[in-house]
Amino acid sequence: MEKTKIAIIGLGTVGTGVAKLLLDHGDRTARHAGRIPWLEKVVVQNLSKPRDVAIPDGVLTDNLNAVLQNPEITVVAQLIGGLEPARTIMLQLLDAGKDIITANKALLAVHGPELFDKARQLGRCIAFEASVAGGIPIITNIGQCLTANQITSLRGILNGTCNFIITQMQEHSTDYEKVVKEAQRLGYAEADPTLDVNGADTAQKLSILSQLAFGVRGNWEDIPCKGIDDLDIADIGYADRLGYRIKLLAMAKLVDNEVEMSVSPTLIKKGSPLAEVQNAFNAIRVLGDAVGPVFYHGQGAGQMPTASAVVADIIDTVVGRSQITFNNLELWSENNRPRSMADAGPSINRYYLRMQVIDQPGVMAEITGILGNNGVSIASIIQHKSENQNTNATVPLVIMSHNTTQTAITNSVMQFEQSENIETKAVVLKVL
Amino acid sequence: MEKTKIAIIGLGTVGTGVAKLLLDHGDRTARHAGRIPWLEKVVVQNLSKPRDVAIPDGVLTDNLNAVLQNPEITVVAQLIGGLEPARTIMLQLLDAGKDIITANKALLAVHGPELFDKARQLGRCIAFEASVAGGIPIITNIGQCLTANQITSLRGILNGTCNFIITQMQEHSTDYEKVVKEAQRLGYAEADPTLDVNGADTAQKLSILSQLAFGVRGNWEDIPCKGIDDLDIADIGYADRLGYRIKLLAMAKLVDNEVEMSVSPTLIKKGSPLAEVQNAFNAIRVLGDAVGPVFYHGQGAGQMPTASAVVADIIDTVVGRSQITFNNLELWSENNRPRSMADAGPSINRYYLRMQVIDQPGVMAEITGILGNNGVSIASIIQHKSENQNTNATVPLVIMSHNTTQTAITNSVMQFEQSENIETKAVVLKVL
């Protein structure tokens, strides 16, 4: 059986998993590729670091040129995270005539246009299944399996760290800070979890999916994005009483040929598939105009699920499917009829509002009056009775709105801030 | 933009949907294919039958030769159901040099080896995404996206008619006969629903998935198969009380390099994703040794979901991905390391048993004695008190076993049949 020589750049968690699959299951990959995807080189920074996988003699190197200058290596899994040197290495690999597989979503979200243009110019391809939702093959599903459809809506839980934290807050009624510490101890959160919990990681993944599904032009940093880092256990409790769970939800929706996009903690009706996604799992609901809703659920991160996606891309590239898909998708290309990101203001959603208000007659009338003047119609209100006899005691007030615009909610909240009867800035969450 | 000329054979529900997508959304399919999938001919039996789609002049024909003898038509969607003339037409199309897309699972389950061998000999390909689970792209997911894995288990709800019937029985506490009539009225069940409700349709789909995931050799009729046609509303009720839902579940599991397969009404714990699949939806849970569990949920039938799958296959065939996949999958080929179907006897499962027993002392001891002698250990028992003072009154007895072999259960049930205290043949259902 013939060989296609492969290299891996970076032997971190994912790189190690990919090396394991290629080395331990060569028969399997060969059977699916019709030839042997042969691990020729693994490039690392530090040759003497202990490794979780036994790399054969002569394969490990700290010299990128061993890959760049070897024309027999045609397929490279570039598994270094972050923007640099990952970007420079990608450009060097393309210049050297390699087809590339990557799991680096930040790199694609930021430098996708440059990298994809360069690959197209040079007749090379970039496969990136592992960049979004780990083991869920969502890139191939949108880019290949659902091509008969205009996708009209995407909703996803795309960050396992956030979903783990929220699930644990919910299950143990423990507040954010404590759960994050526990998540760090268990390895579900990084020492610095900022990019996970502030929603940036989710927004980058959403920008890749939206490019694929809608041809959205735009910077991921322009996606309206709110993380879970100020999520209050009280809101998880109120949501529960109202029949909802809170999830960090990425949404993109086609409206009048523009695409509304957002990342935010969102109330989702209990019992619906997205609401029931637990712990570090990811899930995505795709709505197509022919197929209707398709729902995907699986492990969004971790060594072997992510390696599964990388190796599927390696096989696709070895057999030639990746090249066909890459050429036809025209991602981040002007030919791909780019669509704009819609302004968030007119976007229609239901909302959950919570604020701490002075417990006295007239306050409710003031609040409902402000909402009414802004055209926000109210679906339900929960007001707790104060247990305090003090006339200036405050109580939490929870309001669920009917469908309304983001502008109407933003204006209402600004007016709430003028009121002496409302003590805290209102918590505002979307409701699915 | 260049054209690839396409033909459709059969303008039933699915064929009509495919024609709509190709005719109404030609820009979309062209964008994903990099060329125009051009609908050149549609072959029907009856030219004068009214149609739901406006077919352009000169396209509709009742002469198959208009396709067979036109070398410019290279891709054909063969959308006739049943075994003949579908099989003969497939062979003629292959001989005429066409690549074929089909949605006909019965044809593949029965004549897959012949058709695939012939296609391989002639250098042609057959794509069949629409043959299993309609809009859920499970064929591409197993055959392409999860190729880094050894799949170790498949569980699926693959027949929307059965799932609709069971969901309605559950929700309205209505018995089987009434619900089937309602399902027929709503178009969810055929006038003769036999092949759906007796499990044959599910077994055929399972045989295709198992060929793909495990390389199983074997006749679909050898899959142990029990339908829902004698499902009793009483068992849905008891399952509910025990915390389960009953679903018609297709299962295939790799055990010692053989594959245990079955189709049967199965108790699934409420809250688990498969248990919550409602009405005509399908769902599949795939377990891979690298990726872990991946769960898919979507519309398993209907005009546009199935057409979505057919048109994705048309695009894959026009761009050349189908050919690559077909060549590498080696389905129903001796090269694909065929695995055998395992004997059902030693397979391990939990079981639900219900029987009508005489309400008198000693009966419980007899039944638990029989189970104990056969090595079946009991997880729980529900015995209703009789409301009848008659000494020969009978009461239902429901038993949940721990893990045990099918042989042990079968032997127990045979011994129950000898007992004068047990009035009815025991209902035996698997528990997931």
Side-chain angles (χ1 to χ4, degrees), chain A residues 21 27-28 31-34 135 137 140-141 144-145 147-150 281 289-299 304-305 308 311-312 315-316 319-321 324-325 328 336-337, chain B residues 21 27-28 31-34 135 137 140-141 144-145 147-150 281 289-299 304-305 308 311-312 315-316 319-321 324-325 328 336-337:
Chain A
L21 285 174
D27 54 335
R28 183 190 297 175
R31 188 155 38 86
H32 284 112
T140 304
N141 274 272
Q144 178 181 340
C145 302
T147 42
N149 295 267
Q150 174 58 56
F281 276 85
D289 63 355
V291 75
V294 188
F295 178 78
Y296 302 88
H297 180 271
Q299 299 192 66
M304 295 319 287
S308 166
V311 173
I315 292 171
D316 276 1
V319 300
R321 276 187 302 246
I324 294 174
T325 307
N328 286 302
N336 189 14
R337 303 196 312 181
Chain B
L21 285 175
D27 55 334
R28 185 190 294 176
R31 186 153 40 87
H32 284 111
T140 303
N141 273 271
Q144 178 181 338
C145 301
T147 42
N149 295 265
Q150 174 58 57
F281 277 85
D289 62 355
V291 76
V294 188
F295 179 77
Y296 302 89
H297 181 272
Q299 299 191 67
M304 296 318 288
S308 165
V311 173
I315 292 171
D316 277 1
V319 300
R321 276 187 301 244
I324 295 174
T325 307
N328 285 302
N336 190 14
R337 303 195 313 182

Side-chain angles (χ1 to χ4, degrees), chain B residues 143-164:
Chain B
Q144 178 181 338
C145 301
L146 300 178
T147 42
N149 295 265
Q150 174 58 57
I151 309 265
T152 56
S153 152
L154 285 178
R155 296 173 182 166
I157 294 171
L158 302 177
N159 184 286
T161 304
C162 289
N163 205 57
F164 179 83

Side-chain angles (χ1 to χ4, degrees), chain B residues 120-430:
Chain B
R120 271 189 291 268
Q121 282 161 22
L122 295 170
R124 300 269 60 85
C125 75
I126 300 172
F128 52 100
E129 183 64 74
S131 66
V132 181
I136 304 175
I138 192 64
I139 302 293
T140 303
N141 273 271
I142 295 178
Q144 178 181 338
C145 301
L146 300 178
T147 42
N149 295 265
Q150 174 58 57
I151 309 265
T152 56
S153 152
L154 285 178
R155 296 173 182 166
I157 294 171
L158 302 177
N159 184 286
T161 304
C162 289
N163 205 57
F164 179 83
I165 291 169
I166 299 176
T167 307
Q168 295 297 311
M169 287 174 73
Q170 161 90 38
E171 280 183 7
H172 305 294
S173 302
T174 312
D175 67 19
Y176 176 78
E177 302 295 342
K178 272 192 199 153
V179 171
V180 169
K181 287 211 181 78
E182 179 68 3
Q184 285 168 327
R185 199 182 63 79
L186 293 170
Y188 285 114
E190 308 273 348
D192 176 3
T194 309
L195 292 179
D196 288 316
V197 298
N198 73 3
D201 173 89
T202 300
Q204 289 173 345
K205 290 167 177 167
L206 180 62
S207 89
I208 294 171
L209 292 183
S210 300
Q211 168 59 227
L212 198 59
F214 306 108
V216 174
R217 275 268 152 191
N219 189 325
W220 73 268
E221 289 173 292
D222 294 335
I223 299 173
C225 179
K226 184 177 158 58
I228 62 160
D229 35 2
D230 60 356
L231 185 61
D232 193 320
I233 182 76
D235 294 309
I236 291 180
Y238 286 116
D240 188 44
R241 284 180 50 188
L242 290 160
Y244 293 85
R245 304 222 185 282
I246 296 178
K247 297 288 174 187
L248 184 67
L249 196 68
M251 287 199 274
K253 190 166 67 166
L254 191 61
V255 179
D256 297 335
N257 210 36
E258 289 191 322
V259 183
E260 285 181 11
M261 295 168 69
S262 66
V263 172
S264 61
T266 301
L267 278 72
I268 309 177
K269 199 86 186 163
K270 282 184 210 173
S272 73
L274 281 168
E276 303 305 325
V277 176
Q278 304 292 315
N279 291 316
F281 277 85
N282 279 198
I284 301 151
R285 177 185 184 273
V286 181
L287 190 64
D289 62 355
V291 76
V294 188
F295 179 77
Y296 302 89
H297 181 272
Q299 299 191 67
Q303 181 174 69
M304 296 318 288
T306 311
S308 165
V310 171
V311 173
D313 270 351
I314 290 175
I315 292 171
D316 277 1
T317 306
V318 167
V319 300
R321 276 187 301 244
S322 295
Q323 290 78 348
I324 295 174
T325 307
F326 186 79
N327 290 335
N328 285 302
L329 285 179
E330 298 193 328
L331 288 171
W332 284 291
S333 148
E334 287 301 333
N335 294 332
N336 190 14
R337 303 195 313 182
R339 287 195 178 90
S340 308
M341 220 183 279
D343 282 345
S347 76
I348 306 279
N349 277 286
R350 295 188 296 148
Y351 284 91
Y352 162 102
L353 304 169
R354 176 175 62 87
M355 55 208 114
Q356 198 71 14
V357 302
I358 308 282
D359 186 21
Q360 65 184 26
V363 174
M364 184 79 90
E366 183 185 355
I367 289 168
T368 56
I370 290 171
L371 289 169
N373 288 339
N374 283 291
V376 178
S377 117
I378 296 168
S380 67
I381 300 185
I382 305 179
Q383 185 178 23
H384 277 257
K385 269 218 91 61
S386 173
E387 289 163 14
N388 194 325
Q389 298 300 314
N390 187 326
T391 48
N392 281 326
T394 65
V395 291
L397 180 72
V398 172
I399 298 176
M400 298 280 278
S401 83
H402 286 300
N403 264 338
T404 186
T405 64
Q406 179 163 324
T407 304
I409 291 292
T410 308
N411 290 342
S412 303
V413 169
M414 284 195 306
Q415 286 172 263
F416 293 158
E417 282 171 28
Q418 309 303 316
S419 164
E420 288 178 359
N421 291 318
I422 302 172
E423 283 233 329
T424 55
K425 187 164 161 56
V427 171
V428 180
L429 300 173
K430 282 189 188 173

Side-chain angles (χ1 to χ4, degrees), chain A residues 174-309:
Chain A
T174 312
D175 67 19
Y176 177 79
E177 302 296 341
K178 270 191 197 154
V179 171
V180 169
K181 287 211 179 79
E182 179 69 2
Q184 286 168 326
R185 199 182 63 80
L186 293 169
Y188 285 112
E190 308 272 350
D192 176 4
T194 309
L195 292 179
D196 289 314
V197 299
N198 73 3
D201 173 89
T202 300
Q204 289 173 344
K205 290 167 178 168
L206 180 62
S207 90
I208 294 171
L209 292 183
S210 299
Q211 167 60 227
L212 198 59
F214 306 108
V216 174
R217 274 273 151 185
N219 190 326
W220 73 269
E221 289 173 293
D222 294 335
I223 299 173
C225 178
K226 184 175 155 61
I228 61 160
D229 36 2
D230 61 356
L231 185 61
D232 194 319
I233 183 75
D235 294 308
I236 291 181
Y238 286 115
D240 187 44
R241 285 180 50 190
L242 290 160
Y244 293 84
R245 304 223 184 282
I246 295 178
K247 298 288 176 187
L248 184 66
L249 197 69
M251 288 199 273
K253 190 166 68 167
L254 191 61
V255 179
D256 298 334
N257 210 35
E258 289 191 322
V259 183
E260 284 180 12
M261 296 169 69
S262 66
V263 172
S264 61
T266 301
L267 277 71
I268 310 177
K269 200 88 185 162
K270 282 184 209 175
S272 73
L274 281 169
E276 302 306 325
V277 176
Q278 303 293 315
N279 291 316
F281 276 85
N282 278 198
I284 301 150
R285 178 186 185 272
V286 181
L287 190 65
D289 63 355
V291 75
V294 188
F295 178 78
Y296 302 88
H297 180 271
Q299 299 192 66
Q303 181 174 69
M304 295 319 287
T306 311
S308 166

